[in-house]
Amino acid sequence: MEIMKESVSGTLQSNDCLVRVLPGTEGVDLNLSSSVMKQFGDQIEKVIMETLIEMKVENCKIIVEDRGALDCTIKARVETAVNRSNE
Amino acid sequence: MSRRSLLFMPGNNPGMLINADILGADTVVFDLEDAVALDEKDAARTLVRNALNTLTFKHSEVSVRINPIDSPYWEADLEYIVPAMPDSIVIPKASTEAVPMVEQRIEELRAKYNVEKEIDTILLIESANGIMDIQNICKSSKLFTGLILGAEDYSSDMGVERTKGNKEIEYARYVLATAARAFRVDGIDTPYTDVDDMEGLMEDTGFAKSIGLGGRLLINPRQVEYVHKVLSPTAEQIEEASNILTESEIAKKQGLGVFSYKGKMVDLPVIKRAEATIENAKKWGLIK
């Protein structure tokens, strides 16, 4: 799936995350910040990358600000942002 | 089903969704309708689907309120939610048109996604026409296990103000309670909207119980405990039901259809009520 325009989903509330995706040309450029970066940074990155692969997104810039979201929430917010970028 | 409490949770709030199972409600209802802003409908249905696919719900039945059929959202709601296998779907603005449409789509999606689990519906009656036509609405359903009164929309449709005493919704409550009993499904009362008035909540729920409504919609987790206090059988009622069933077994062996318990005649309706009391008490963890 191609990222056609900038889009956002989620919030900065506790247990949520704010995801912003933008068009890109050279693979996935992930910018991740999290309140639990030390403990769960690798896992969060894995969920984001797996979701993008599932959605066949090969090129994009993605900025994720995490506030302690569970994997299912991160996945949902990435999915929503990507789908919105195609509307 | 015997649901005492159905707790609404906004469908786009991850913090509330992940804690839903520990709040003690018999049913949690993830809301995709009124609790979700129009430009967040897509985010909410995706979040609820992922929560259903990932989280384990051990203590509460899980239901999802979809958007009504006069909105552009209900079909996408079902497309996302049915494969995630909730226990039930709440159909808002239930009518003889809406109920068959939604239920047919649920069955089509179950077939499309090979969902073996059966998914019930709960019908939200929230208009003057809904109350007048409730019997036909019930007859139009193949999947429903409960009726809910939505008093805010109903009052608005009636052009009357909501008051503390709830006189303005009394007729609708009687009608809904009677229909629920007639069709042997759960009769579920409208939410008590003053979340700080627990005394009022218990008194009002006591009235609902007295006319045959066995469950209540809740809008705050703090209300669960108080509603359960009113709608659960007491220890004395459980003991009496247990004794009646024991005496009933003895009477049956003696070939008696009717017998006396503490000076009162016991016949089939009383025995059935005792059986229901024991069954519910077990289900709700009040006895083993």
Side-chain angles (χ1 to χ4, degrees):
Chain A
M1 189 182 286
E2 197 174 342
I3 304 299
M4 307 295 286
K5 63 180 182 189
E6 181 177 340
S7 64
V8 178
S9 81
T11 70
L12 289 175
Q13 290 174 1
S14 180
N15 300 116
D16 204 348
C17 62
L18 186 70
V19 175
R20 184 182 300 273
V21 293
L22 302 95
T25 51
E26 294 176 6
V28 174
D29 176 10
L30 170 61
N31 183 333
L32 170 64
S33 60
S34 171
S35 53
V36 289
M37 194 70 184
K38 276 187 184 171
Q39 300 98 313
F40 299 110
D42 290 345
Q43 174 62 19
I44 297 167
E45 184 174 334
K46 184 169 172 265
V47 172
I48 295 166
M49 298 308 285
E50 282 178 356
T51 307
L52 292 174
I53 289 168
E54 268 178 38
M55 299 185 81
K56 298 183 171 50
V57 176
E58 292 173 356
N59 299 300
C60 73
K61 182 173 172 59
I62 179 164
I63 302 159
V64 179
E65 293 177 69
D66 171 55
R67 292 289 185 272
L70 292 184
D71 289 1
C72 62
T73 303
I74 296 164
K75 186 170 161 36
R77 297 318 193 192
V78 172
E79 281 183 66
T80 302
V82 168
N83 285 329
R84 285 177 177 176
S85 78
N86 258 261
E87 284 171 354
Chain B
M1 290 299 296
S2 298
R3 305 168 174 100
R4 293 167 297 177
S5 53
L6 293 89
L7 177 61
F8 263 130
M9 306 249 100
N12 202 31
N13 186 323
M16 296 183 96
L17 295 192
I18 62 176
N19 287 318
D21 193 44
I22 59 166
L23 298 171
D26 293 335
T27 304
V28 289
V29 183
F30 296 145
D31 189 17
L32 302 180
E33 196 202 12
D34 290 347
V36 177
L38 293 181
D39 57 358
E40 290 294 329
K41 298 289 188 188
D42 57 340
R45 70 171 74 96
T46 307
L47 182 66
V48 170
R49 180 199 60 191
N50 286 8
L52 287 171
N53 282 337
T54 309
L55 305 175
T56 304
F57 294 90
K58 288 183 180 171
H59 305 102
S60 300
E61 174 199 46
V62 179
S63 187
V64 178
R65 178 165 74 166
I66 60 168
N67 285 282
I69 63 158
D70 59 2
S71 77
Y73 310 113
W74 70 279
E75 288 187 285
D77 290 346
L78 289 178
E79 186 79 34
Y80 270 64
I81 298 303
V82 170
M85 294 185 285
D87 296 300
S88 57
I89 300 277
V90 175
I91 304 177
K93 297 184 182 174
S95 66
T96 52
E97 184 195 5
V99 172
M101 271 176 79
V102 172
E103 291 188 350
Q104 186 184 336
R105 192 70 192 124
I106 290 171
E107 294 299 76
E108 288 168 358
L109 290 167
R110 280 185 61 221
K112 179 180 172 183
Y113 292 107
N114 295 316
V115 175
E116 288 184 11
K117 180 180 175 177
E118 291 185 2
I119 299 172
D120 303 334
T121 57
I122 305 173
L123 312 183
L124 185 47
I125 307 292
E126 46 188 340
S127 68
N129 192 54
I131 290 296
M132 293 297 290
D133 205 25
I134 196 164
Q135 196 174 345
N136 289 324
I137 294 170
C138 292
K139 284 179 181 170
S140 76
S141 174
K142 292 177 180 165
L143 305 176
F144 83 127
T145 57
L147 290 171
I148 304 174
L149 175 63
E152 296 305 320
D153 283 331
Y154 168 77
S155 305
S156 172
D157 194 28
M158 291 289 291
V160 297
E161 276 184 37
R162 293 300 311 279
T163 64
K164 194 90 176 168
N166 278 335
K167 272 282 177 197
E168 68 282 357
I169 63 166
E170 216 166 79
Y171 174 72
R173 282 169 132 181
Y174 278 109
V175 170
L176 190 121
T178 307
R181 293 287 165 177
F183 284 87
R184 299 288 181 265
V185 297
D186 293 335
I188 300 154
D189 200 13
T190 192
Y192 191 78
T193 52
D194 185 345
V195 295
D196 293 321
D197 181 8
M198 297 307 169
E199 204 174 305
L201 169 67
M202 289 178 74
E203 189 182 328
D204 193 58
T205 306
F207 170 76
K209 182 183 181 182
S210 77
I211 65 166
L213 294 168
R216 179 140 223 181
L217 267 189
L218 309 177
I219 52 173
N220 189 300
R222 289 189 296 124
Q223 295 178 316
V224 172
E225 176 191 351
Y226 295 92
V227 163
H228 283 189
K229 267 184 197 168
V230 178
L231 296 179
S232 304
T234 63
E236 291 75 26
Q237 287 167 331
I238 293 169
E239 189 185 348
E240 181 168 297
S242 177
N243 290 341
I244 286 172
L245 293 181
T246 303
E247 293 290 326
S248 159
E249 284 302 312
I250 294 167
K252 202 188 290 178
K253 282 176 188 165
Q254 294 172 342
L256 299 173
V258 177
F259 62 95
S260 172
Y261 176 77
K262 290 187 176 175
K264 289 180 187 169
M265 187 188 79
V266 175
D267 56 7
L268 195 58
V270 178
I271 293 168
K272 281 191 171 175
R273 203 157 55 230
E275 284 173 345
T277 299
I278 296 298
E279 189 185 323
N280 286 335
K282 282 181 182 167
K283 183 185 166 188
W284 296 330
L286 303 172
I287 54 172
K288 286 183 181 175

